Amino acid sequence: MSEHTGVVFPVDEASGRRSTAALGRAVVADALRPVDPVGAGSAARETNWRQGYLEHFRRLIEAGLPSAEVAHTIAREGLASHHTRMRWHVPSGEGPLSSAFEASPSALGSETIRGEGVPDRTISLPYAAERASGDRLRRVVAGWVERGVVEPSCAEAVERVLANPDWLDLSDRTVVVLGAAAEMGPLRSLLRWGADVVAVDLPRKDLWHRLLADTRKLAGSLTVPVQPGRGPVEDRLGGDLVHDLASVTQWVASQDGPLVLGNYVYADGATNVRVATAVDALTETVVAERGRDDVALAFLATPTDVFAVPGGAVARSVENYAQRHTSRVLRVPLRTLSGGRLLRRNYVPGADPGINDSVVLQQGPNYLLAKRLQRWRATTHRADGGLVSLNVAPPTRTRSVVKNRALAAAYAGAHRFGVEVFEPGTANTLMAILLVHDLRTGAPALEHPWQDEAFAAVHGGLWTSAYAPRSALGIAALLGVASAR
């Protein structure tokens, strides 16, 4: 994927380079400025964004707590700043991001593959070497609630879907899966249930060969963009959002509806922001063309972010801190020797809401900005009356995580601190069930955006852990390496 064409970062006037840090600093400052001028100034003056970004992303959440209106303002200003600053670059020149839609796009064809299977109306998920359904699934979810791995509202949502298996029939909607090959995406579950799925991912033969093989064995249908040209259709599948944004947007907007635009894209490093920007521009354009009543939005929020969390999660964490008998002997000397950085309390007791900061420094500010764009879009779409499914997904052993040795080791030792790390099949199936719940019930529409984000959260225990996650991460990694040996 070329770094120099398509959706690109702006050139920083000070350095003369396309700076991801300069963009992140400016967008966060712009988002805060109308509601928190002091916080905006602090973000704008941050000289070491790579290390210092954490407090500013936390401030975005804290500043939005006083009212839903304030939170909406932060989201709208952040999105506006980001769209204004990002650029569109082609060989003939460079312009604002909006100029991506000014030229006549090339027309993409369509190819639909229909599965040969029978729709599965059994609500089940793989867990602990079995396929849990019915009462067994209820016991699994109840165990997660008991251990503080999910919010109680998650169990309520799963129960509603269990009581209404006909909800799995999504024939009244077209689900667009952007990032079709994503490990955390709902594609396989949707196809198993017989849904009509519109799939977008990069034009890579190996990727589509695998997805088509899966589709043929399942019950749903998969409609895929086809690049113009000659040769076998299966060699021309896919669409490049970053470099061919207008064509892919036009193709998605032309699909039969009502649409569910599911955003499951991911890329490494700075490319993640470019892809997230392209998807958000596509989303904004499709909603404008079709109307918010015809387009629902779906997202998965990362658990390694900053969230306001309910008082019940805070109380559970405080209780866990008091009961950590085995770590009390080490807790005081570790905290003393580390200057208070290790094994800190997760919250101030009694906070409601509390602020959970589970950001992992190694993931970097680009990852957090890309995920924050999604949360901001969810907030604004819901505020405008649109249907949104945004669920906090659990810590999961995806390929992108386990290839990072530090994160893989931390995940291996996380259970020592009450955090459950999910297998990809369990996580993506559970999140697909929650997506169905949201589409069929209209999703939560609560008093404040932070409450919408906390509803049915599958945080893996990060919200209820005794210790602030980052203060235990290094110890978890050491324990994980030791257990692997």
Side-chain angles (χ1 to χ4, degrees), residues 87-356:
R87 309 290 286 172
W88 177 254
H89 185 92
V90 291
S92 59
E94 182 169 314
L97 180 63
S98 58
S99 64
F101 300 100
E102 292 174 0
S104 298
S106 58
L108 299 176
S110 294
E111 180 74 4
T112 298
I113 300 90
R114 300 192 181 280
E116 300 171 355
V118 176
D120 185 356
R121 294 290 179 262
T122 302
I123 299 157
S124 64
L125 59 79
Y127 184 72
E130 67 172 321
R131 190 95 197 175
S133 62
D135 287 341
R136 171 56 182 155
L137 177 54
R138 290 183 174 91
R139 289 194 294 273
V140 168
V141 178
W144 287 335
V145 173
E146 184 178 352
R147 297 193 299 277
V149 173
V150 305
E151 286 301 285
S153 49
C154 175
E156 297 166 11
V158 172
E159 179 58 40
R160 292 193 70 178
V161 180
L162 282 168
N164 296 276
D166 57 304
W167 285 359
L168 298 185
D169 179 2
L170 295 172
S171 57
D172 57 326
R173 291 182 178 270
T174 298
V175 184
V176 181
V177 178
L178 303 171
E183 277 190 276
M184 288 297 292
L187 182 64
R188 189 173 180 83
S189 291
L190 294 172
L191 292 173
R192 191 174 73 250
W193 298 332
D196 294 321
V197 179
V198 170
V200 177
D201 214 312
L202 289 170
R204 285 173 30 200
K205 295 180 185 179
D206 58 330
L207 180 156
W208 290 108
H209 179 79
R210 175 169 53 83
L211 292 182
L212 296 190
D214 285 347
T215 300
R216 292 187 178 103
K217 293 183 291 187
L218 298 170
S221 70
L222 196 68
T223 299
V224 185
V226 179
Q227 300 291 323
R230 298 180 178 180
V233 169
E234 291 194 6
D235 291 347
R236 294 185 284 117
L237 301 178
D240 188 335
L241 280 159
V242 169
H243 297 99
D244 201 10
L245 176 56
S247 298
V248 178
T249 300
Q250 181 185 69
W251 184 80
V252 169
S254 70
Q255 302 301 312
D256 293 337
L259 297 182
V260 180
L261 277 185
N263 184 347
Y264 306 100
V265 300
Y266 173 78
D268 289 333
T271 304
N272 198 24
V273 177
R274 297 171 67 203
V275 178
T277 303
V279 171
D280 198 64
L282 176 151
T283 300
E284 190 174 66
T285 302
V286 172
V287 170
E289 288 185 11
R290 309 228 357 190
R292 65 174 178 267
D293 293 338
D294 195 47
V295 184
L297 305 184
F299 307 88
L300 294 181
T302 176
T304 51
D305 202 339
V306 183
F307 293 94
V309 306
V314 174
R316 182 68 180 268
S317 170
V318 171
E319 180 183 353
N320 287 337
Y321 187 87
Q323 292 179 351
R324 280 277 173 184
H325 303 292
T326 56
S327 62
R328 284 179 184 173
V329 175
L330 293 175
R331 188 161 66 199
V332 173
L334 280 173
R335 291 196 62 192
T336 301
L337 291 172
S338 67
R341 291 190 301 273
L342 294 179
L343 300 185
R344 291 183 290 105
R345 281 183 180 272
N346 213 347
Y347 311 96
V348 174
D352 188 7
I355 298 293
N356 179 266

Side-chain angles (χ1 to χ4, degrees), residues 149-155 301 306-313 352-354 356 375 382 390-393 434 444 446 448-459 463:
V149 173
V150 305
E151 286 301 285
S153 49
C154 175
V306 183
F307 293 94
V309 306
D352 188 7
N356 179 266
R375 290 171 66 181
R382 186 183 280 120
L390 183 144
N391 298 114
V392 176
L434 294 179
L446 303 174
H448 194 287
W450 80 258
Q451 295 169 313
D452 291 319
E453 293 181 339
F455 181 84
V458 188
H459 47 73
W463 291 9

